[in-house]
Amino acid sequence: MIKGRLPIGQMSSVVAPAKQLNDMGPKEVELILVKEQNGVQFTNSTLINPAQTTTGTEERETWAKKIDFLLSVIGFAVDLANVWRFPYLCYKNGGGAFLVPYLFFMVIAGMPLFYMELALGQYNREGAAGVWKICPLFKGVGFTVILISLYVGFYYNVIIAWALYYLFSSFTGNLPWVNCNNTWNSLNCSDIWTFNRSSHNVTHRSTPAAEFFERGVLHLHESEGINDLGLPRWQLTSCLTVVIVVLYFSLWKGVRTSGKVVWITATMPYVVLIGLLLRGVTLPGAIDGIKAYLSVDFHRLWETSVWIDAATQICFSLGVGFGVLIAFSSYNKFSNNCYRDAIITSSVNSLTSFFSGFVIFSFLGYMAQKHNVALEDVATDGPGLVFIIYPEAIATLPWSSVWSVIFFIMLLTLGIDSAMGGMESVITGLIDEFKFLRKHREIFTLFIVVSTFLISLFCVTNGGIYVFTLLDHFAAGTSILFGVLIEAIGIAWFYGVGRFSDDIEEMIGHRPGLYWRLCWKYVSPLFLLCMVVISFGTFKPPYYGTYVFPVWANIIGWCVAISSMAMVPIYAIYKLCVLPGTFRNVSIYTVNLLYSSSSFMNNKVI
């Protein structure tokens, strides 16, 4: 990136005098960089509608209160994975020892990337695509993250629909997953746990809770595979409809309405988690479960898989790369302290993950003792934990229906605000890119949520779990790591860490420290590059239980993943094609330089 002093006389006469640049916020000058044998010179400098930029900044909607923004970010980052993935990874990878690589990657990559996205959105006051006016060649990564958020919405809303179905099923005297006397149960259903690893008959037995989920809710037994989906189940379709309606009326008016919804959806999980912990620690075997969760085995730190799990968890748990942080922060006031926000919200997210482990393992320890099996036989992650193991544990408690209602309300609130964040990323990103949509936000929001609903219908068929698994495996795996990598490279190496630091100083009054700048320029990109390589190198085809997906399904999955990643080169090629001159003349990048009045008066190209 070209950065240095440039005499004012070399700037095009189109550029306004410095005295006209006193407004707070970014001003745009488009400079096309053309290579010559004796160096690089600037030509065709043009001031791009400075009055419109300032006006657009003043008219942009902002959060009603600062706490609305913080709760929205926390609500998005703290999702179902905090409950069903982190505790299991901690237990599986050496207990307390897992915190060493987790905190290490949190410090060198998680927080810096989190801070970067908040600052990027707040300064430019645009969605995931619009912020790349600072470096148009990289605008494709904005469309990459928008597509990823859209793809995730196709199946994430289905999880919320499952939770809603369980919530409705909990309003009964006897929970429907406590025995094998229901119409959906098979002959292999057993009320007695037989998880003995030395037994060959384990696979022929299933618990009432497992059969309720797979046969009573999903109706998986009526499908032979992904090639035999069947029609959408009306019960799940109804629940999905309720979820979509809630999302629409939470988002249709912008952050002024969603900022009020998160007061409930972002705080309720903490109330429920505390209540479940207080109940869980009183159960027999709970202390053994918590001890297993926290047991420290530092020898596990020599295993590569432990570090890979920690790095992967950091990448996905904080929510960077979905465009949500950029979208949310774009509605902040220009002078908001985004540095403090980044520290607070990322710390809350990690502490929530750690705290939820006590809740989960207190109940898992209870289940292990109740059924006289090893903890490893009940410890699991993913949907199986929250829709099979945990409901079964709750069903054994006094007032089980009440505890079940409380638990699934928590799952609903965890899912709703995360789904709201993903939808807002798509809506804000596209509305900011296509300005005419701003006057029709309600209609456009309806179009997005209805489109999401129609695709989600494939996930509520008899074989819908196979579609769900395929999307979950490909939609936001390697592609999200790739997107964040390109984002970090674009900011650090093309726009420039120095220029980015100047932007932050203009907002909050001080430049980021050396630590942050080093992480942005070297550590975080290198970390992400390693993660992308590892992701490709360790790829395993998706499966569900004993079902192996056919080749054509994997091809479709890769097409989904590549479709989002391909936006980066496609847009770059498009940008190069529409630039004046030939490919031989045009540099590999074109930049819209953002400069402030102070830097202009110091004759710096920021």
Side-chain angles (χ1 to χ4, degrees):
M1 174 55 61
I2 306 301
K3 181 179 179 180
R5 297 184 179 275
L6 182 68
I8 298 180
Q10 293 183 16
M11 299 291 287
S12 170
S13 59
V14 178
V15 178
K19 65 181 180 181
Q20 298 180 11
L21 300 175
N22 293 326
D23 296 328
M24 182 68 72
K27 310 295 187 295
E28 299 184 16
V29 176
E30 186 172 83
L31 302 176
I32 299 175
L33 306 182
V34 182
K35 286 187 176 179
E36 291 186 349
Q37 284 185 335
N38 295 326
V40 178
Q41 68 185 81
F42 299 145
T43 61
N44 299 332
S45 305
T46 307
L47 185 63
I48 305 177
N49 299 326
Q52 293 180 10
T53 301
T54 303
T55 302
T57 300
E58 292 174 351
E59 292 180 351
R60 188 172 183 83
E61 182 182 15
T62 58
W63 298 96
K65 297 179 181 179
K66 172 66 174 290
I67 190 65
D68 293 352
F69 165 70
L70 293 177
L71 288 176
S72 295
V73 174
I74 291 172
F76 165 71
V78 178
D79 67 349
L80 296 168
N82 292 74
V83 174
W84 76 30
R85 180 164 173 80
F86 176 85
Y88 175 75
L89 288 179
C90 196
Y91 163 74
K92 187 184 78 169
N93 292 303
F98 180 72
L99 297 178
V100 174
Y102 178 82
L103 292 176
F104 174 73
F105 289 129
M106 177 75 174
V107 170
I108 69 167
M111 282 187 172
L113 293 170
F114 199 92
Y115 182 16
M116 181 186 74
E117 288 204 348
L118 290 184
L120 182 63
Q122 181 173 307
Y123 185 81
N124 294 285
R125 313 206 73 185
E126 297 271 359
V131 294
W132 290 101
K133 60 190 177 185
I134 64 176
C135 191
L137 194 68
F138 282 78
K139 198 173 204 175
V141 73
F143 293 111
T144 293
V145 300
I146 289 173
L147 267 181
I148 291 173
S149 291
L150 186 62
Y151 292 160
V152 170
F154 292 159
Y155 68 90
Y156 194 85
N157 295 335
V158 176
I159 303 176
I160 309 174
W162 292 343
L164 186 60
Y165 186 93
Y166 269 80
L167 177 63
F168 290 149
S169 301
S170 299
F171 289 101
T172 179
N174 295 315
L175 294 174
W177 53 83
V178 297
N179 56 58
C180 296
N181 300 326
N182 303 287
T183 57
W184 59 78
N185 290 128
S186 69
L187 297 176
N188 293 324
C189 182
S190 174
D191 296 334
I192 303 175
W193 277 50
T194 55
F195 285 100
N196 185 346
R197 294 186 180 273
S198 63
S199 173
H200 297 288
N201 296 322
V202 173
T203 56
H204 299 291
R205 290 292 185 181
S206 56
T207 64
E211 290 213 343
F212 176 77
F213 179 60
E214 294 191 341
R215 299 173 66 90
V217 178
L218 304 181
H219 287 259
L220 185 59
H221 60 290
E222 298 181 26
S223 172
E224 296 180 356
I226 196 170
N227 59 332
D228 179 30
L229 296 180
L231 296 175
R233 307 293 306 183
W234 71 266
Q235 298 93 335
L236 289 180
T237 301
S238 301
C239 293
L240 185 61
T241 302
V242 173
V243 172
I244 292 298
V245 170
V246 170
L247 286 176
Y248 175 71
F249 285 107
S250 299
L251 296 169
W252 70 321
K253 291 294 186 181
V255 296
R256 292 281 176 164
T257 54
S258 63
K260 299 298 181 290
V261 175
V262 294
W263 278 81
I264 298 175
T265 59
T267 57
M268 179 65 73
Y270 292 97
V271 176
V272 176
L273 282 172
I274 292 173
L276 289 173
L277 178 62
L278 293 177
R279 182 66 182 96
V281 295
T282 63
L283 298 173
I287 301 302
D288 294 332
I290 293 175
K291 286 181 179 179
Y293 171 54
L294 296 177
S295 62
V296 178
D297 183 6
F298 286 109
H299 294 291
R300 298 295 305 277
L301 296 180
W302 295 102
E303 299 178 16
T304 307
S305 60
V306 174
W307 292 82
I308 293 176
D309 281 346
T312 304
Q313 178 65 13
I314 283 295
C315 287
F316 294 109
S317 67
L318 289 178
V320 294
F322 289 92
V324 178
L325 302 179
I326 294 175
F328 280 164
S329 63
S330 71
Y331 295 107
N332 278 334
K333 295 180 180 178
F334 186 79
S335 59
N336 175 66
N337 192 335
C338 55
Y339 168 70
R340 182 176 56 200
D341 294 345
I343 299 299
I344 292 174
T345 51
S346 58
S347 299
V348 168
N349 174 73
S350 296
L351 289 174
T352 302
S353 297
F354 183 65
F355 175 74
S356 65
F358 290 91
V359 181
I360 297 300
F361 275 85
S362 62
F363 277 86
L364 292 182
Y366 162 67
M367 287 292 290
Q369 177 169 312
K370 180 177 179 62
H371 295 288
N372 195 27
V373 297
L375 185 64
E376 60 184 6
D377 289 326
V378 295
T380 185
D381 64 343
L385 174 63
V386 295
F387 292 112
I388 298 178
I389 302 298
Y390 219 85
E392 184 164 8
I394 290 175
T396 64
L397 302 176
W399 300 89
S400 58
S401 295
V402 175
W403 286 108
S404 182
V405 168
I406 292 173
F407 176 73
F408 287 108
I409 286 177
M410 180 190 72
L411 292 190
L412 282 174
T413 53
L414 281 173
I416 285 290
D417 46 16
S418 295
M420 285 168 52
M423 289 288 186
E424 187 63 57
S425 171
V426 176
I427 295 167
T428 296
L430 294 178
I431 284 179
D432 286 343
E433 183 61 21
F434 305 101
K435 308 296 184 184
F436 69 91
L437 292 174
R438 288 185 176 178
K439 296 181 180 179
H440 311 286
R441 179 183 171 103
E442 293 89 347
I443 298 176
F444 182 66
T445 301
L446 180 63
F447 170 76
I448 292 296
V449 298
V450 169
S451 300
T452 302
F453 170 77
L454 293 177
I455 301 298
S456 298
L457 289 177
F458 287 99
C459 296
V460 295
T461 57
N462 294 335
I465 189 64
Y466 300 122
V467 180
F468 173 91
T469 303
L470 194 70
L471 288 172
D472 184 42
H473 197 80
F474 286 101
T478 302
S479 55
I480 195 72
L481 297 174
F482 173 81
V484 183
L485 171 63
I486 301 301
E487 187 179 280
I489 291 174
I491 294 295
W493 289 93
F494 286 81
Y495 183 58
V497 169
R499 186 176 296 118
F500 188 56
S501 299
D502 291 341
D503 295 345
I504 294 176
E505 183 179 17
E506 187 178 349
M507 290 189 295
I508 66 177
H510 60 84
R511 290 170 62 84
L514 179 62
Y515 159 74
W516 298 102
R517 300 199 301 273
L518 288 176
C519 285
W520 287 331
K521 193 169 184 68
Y522 301 108
V523 181
S524 295
L526 182 61
F527 165 80
L528 290 166
L529 178 61
C530 292
M531 289 305 302
V532 170
V533 173
I534 290 172
S535 179
F536 277 109
T538 60
F539 172 79
K540 295 180 181 179
Y543 62 90
Y544 182 81
T546 59
Y547 179 79
V548 178
F549 285 79
V551 174
W552 64 265
N554 282 276
I555 293 175
I556 291 177
W558 274 113
C559 287
V560 171
I562 293 173
S563 65
S564 58
M565 293 188 285
M567 300 309 307
V568 174
I570 288 175
Y571 191 88
I573 293 172
Y574 158 76
K575 195 65 182 178
L576 290 174
C577 289
V578 298
L579 286 174
T582 66
F583 285 107
R584 184 176 181 180
N585 301 111
V586 179
S587 171
I588 62 170
Y589 50 85
T590 187
V591 179
N592 279 346
L593 292 177
L594 303 182
Y595 60 90
S596 62
S597 58
S598 60
S599 58
F600 183 85
M601 295 178 69
N602 289 331
N603 301 331
K604 289 198 303 182
V605 178
I606 313 175

